[in-house]
Amino acid sequence: MLETIISQGLKATGRRMTRTRKAVLSLLERTHEPLSASEIFAQLQEDQVTIDLVTVYRTVNVLKDLGLVAQLDLHHEGQSRYELKEGRKHHHHIRCQVCGKIVDLLLCPLKKLTKLIEERTKFVVGDHILEFTGFCPQCQ
Amino acid sequence: MLETIISQGLKATGRRMTRTRKAVLSLLERTHEPLSASEIFAQLQEDQVTIDLVTVYRTVNVLKDLGLVAQLDLHHEGQSRYELKEGRKHHHHIRCQVCGKIVDLLLCPLKKLTKLIEERTKFVVGDHILEFTGFCPQCQ
DNA sequence: ACCATTATTGCAAGTCTCTTGCAAGTAATA
DNA sequence: TATTACTTGCAAGAGACTTGCAATAATGGT
Ligand SMILES: [Mn+2]
Ligand SMILES: [Mn+2]
Ligand SMILES: [Zn+2]
Ligand SMILES: [Zn+2]
């Protein structure tokens, strides 16, 4: 169970499992789009969970430190989004530029390209971001 | 000449070529890395050009509207960067996570993938962003 | 070259996302 | 249950970017 896995990660780094961390985790677990801090905050308010926006930021940063959450900076959004990594593999996203809907692209075409780039640039390639925008079926 | 091309674009949209716009353009023209607004501001100060940071923001937005400048949102940078599109083709970037150096990748591997994504997601794909991070030759 | 028109600029203030300081609250361990 | 130290909420701050407005300057016609 996710909460158990994460409790271990927290404990291993001298941190504690708390009411608010459980609430953020459970929301991320049942949501299938990456959420921004303010969206997490708003949804938890709706769920009658007492939490401060500052705590949301601190919580997603802890989860990111533990490697349990990915932080996405989508083009021109001006805010980060967060999604659970646990149990999902590396992937990318496409976002509708009309309604904002975000869909997982369960692929990554960049393994070979990375090698080519390292040869050409003499960089050691670490990470990459890849994101598509367009019009979703409803907004065409 | 670039300034002539751009004067036409400005005029066609009821805008004017000004001292500050010339200064920003000439800086972007002679710079080979994408610049942030504050970098443009700082460099112009150094060049003895009197300009306000607000005007830099307004200028890059005008140039973006005219399709003459690309706005890049690099991962976790927290600020946008701008580069001239005029005379350069679509490409992507790699950034050194130590020193911040940004290098052009004169390639784009995403033509075929776009078609696949449209089939799978039923989105109409518009644009994409692709960026690599890593360690440049000096910082390894 | 001058004037009238209207876009542009600089300054101040505002917005938005995200971070930090600190006292009060609470989880973990014995 | 008592101790310890991590976590929280509130207030304040930082940084990127935007907006309101009066002063300034580019443009086009004379
Ligand atoms: Mn995803
Ligand atoms: Mn470039
Ligand atoms: Zn990938
Ligand atoms: Zn591309």
Side-chain angles (χ1 to χ4, degrees):
Chain A
M1 186 225 197
L2 183 66
E3 196 179 306
T4 309
I5 295 173
I6 286 171
S7 284
Q8 292 170 358
L10 290 170
K11 185 177 292 186
T13 55
R15 288 185 260 236
R16 297 170 184 180
M17 178 56 87
T18 63
R19 183 184 57 79
T20 55
R21 285 176 183 166
K22 279 180 195 163
V24 172
L25 275 167
S26 121
L27 174 57
L28 288 175
E29 200 175 7
R30 66 180 180 270
T31 303
H32 295 103
E33 279 191 23
L35 296 176
S36 68
S38 55
E39 286 172 346
I40 293 170
F41 176 67
Q43 184 59 54
L44 291 182
Q45 296 244 299
E46 200 142 312
D47 299 349
Q48 316 288 337
V49 175
T50 300
I51 191 172
D52 193 273
L53 179 57
V54 176
T55 304
V56 174
Y57 279 108
R58 287 196 271 231
T59 301
V60 291
N61 282 329
V62 166
L63 296 175
K64 193 176 58 159
D65 283 353
L66 295 178
L68 298 167
V69 154
Q71 176 180 0
L72 316 180
D73 294 330
L74 302 188
H75 199 43
H76 293 180
E77 271 222 322
Q79 58 179 6
S80 294
R81 294 183 171 275
Y82 303 88
E83 71 177 357
L84 274 185
K85 290 166 76 174
E86 186 60 35
R88 311 179 189 183
K89 8 189 276 185
H90 172 81
H91 64 277
H92 300 283
H93 300 90
I94 184 165
R95 187 172 94 253
C96 177
Q97 55 196 253
V98 178
C99 71
K101 182 179 174 66
I102 297 169
V103 172
D104 283 348
L105 301 173
L106 300 171
L107 51 80
C108 176
L110 300 172
K111 305 276 147 57
K112 275 181 192 161
L113 188 64
T114 292
K115 209 177 290 176
L116 176 64
I117 289 169
E118 292 189 324
E119 284 165 14
R120 283 206 199 168
T121 64
K122 312 299 182 203
F123 269 61
V124 173
V125 174
D127 206 359
H128 61 259
I129 61 173
L130 170 60
E131 175 210 337
F132 291 83
T133 52
F135 299 90
C136 79
Q138 283 72 48
C139 291
Q140 283 167 30
Chain B
M1 184 222 198
L2 183 65
E3 196 181 303
T4 310
I5 296 172
I6 286 171
S7 284
Q8 292 169 358
L10 289 171
K11 186 178 293 187
T13 54
R15 288 184 259 235
R16 297 169 184 182
M17 177 56 87
T18 63
R19 184 184 56 80
T20 55
R21 285 176 183 167
K22 279 180 195 164
V24 172
L25 275 167
S26 120
L27 174 58
L28 289 175
E29 200 175 6
R30 67 179 178 271
T31 304
H32 295 104
E33 278 191 22
L35 296 175
S36 67
S38 56
E39 286 171 346
I40 294 170
F41 176 67
Q43 185 57 54
L44 291 182
Q45 296 243 297
E46 200 142 313
D47 299 349
Q48 316 288 335
V49 175
T50 300
I51 190 172
D52 193 272
L53 179 58
V54 176
T55 304
V56 174
Y57 278 109
R58 287 196 272 230
T59 301
V60 293
N61 282 328
V62 166
L63 295 175
K64 195 177 56 159
D65 282 353
L66 295 178
L68 298 166
V69 154
Q71 176 179 0
L72 316 179
D73 293 330
L74 303 188
H75 200 41
H76 292 182
E77 270 221 324
Q79 59 179 4
S80 294
R81 293 182 172 275
Y82 303 88
E83 73 177 355
L84 274 185
K85 289 166 78 173
E86 186 60 34
R88 310 179 190 183
K89 3 190 278 183
H90 173 82
H91 63 276
H92 299 283
H93 301 90
I94 184 166
R95 186 171 95 255
C96 177
Q97 55 196 253
V98 178
C99 72
K101 183 180 174 65
I102 297 169
V103 172
D104 284 348
L105 301 173
L106 300 172
L107 51 79
C108 177
L110 300 174
K111 305 274 148 59
K112 274 182 193 159
L113 188 63
T114 293
K115 210 177 292 179
L116 176 64
I117 289 170
E118 292 190 325
E119 284 165 15
R120 282 206 200 167
T121 64
K122 311 300 183 202
F123 271 61
V124 172
V125 174
D127 206 359
H128 60 259
I129 61 174
L130 170 62
E131 175 212 335
F132 291 82
T133 53
F135 300 90
C136 79
Q138 283 74 49
C139 291
Q140 283 167 31

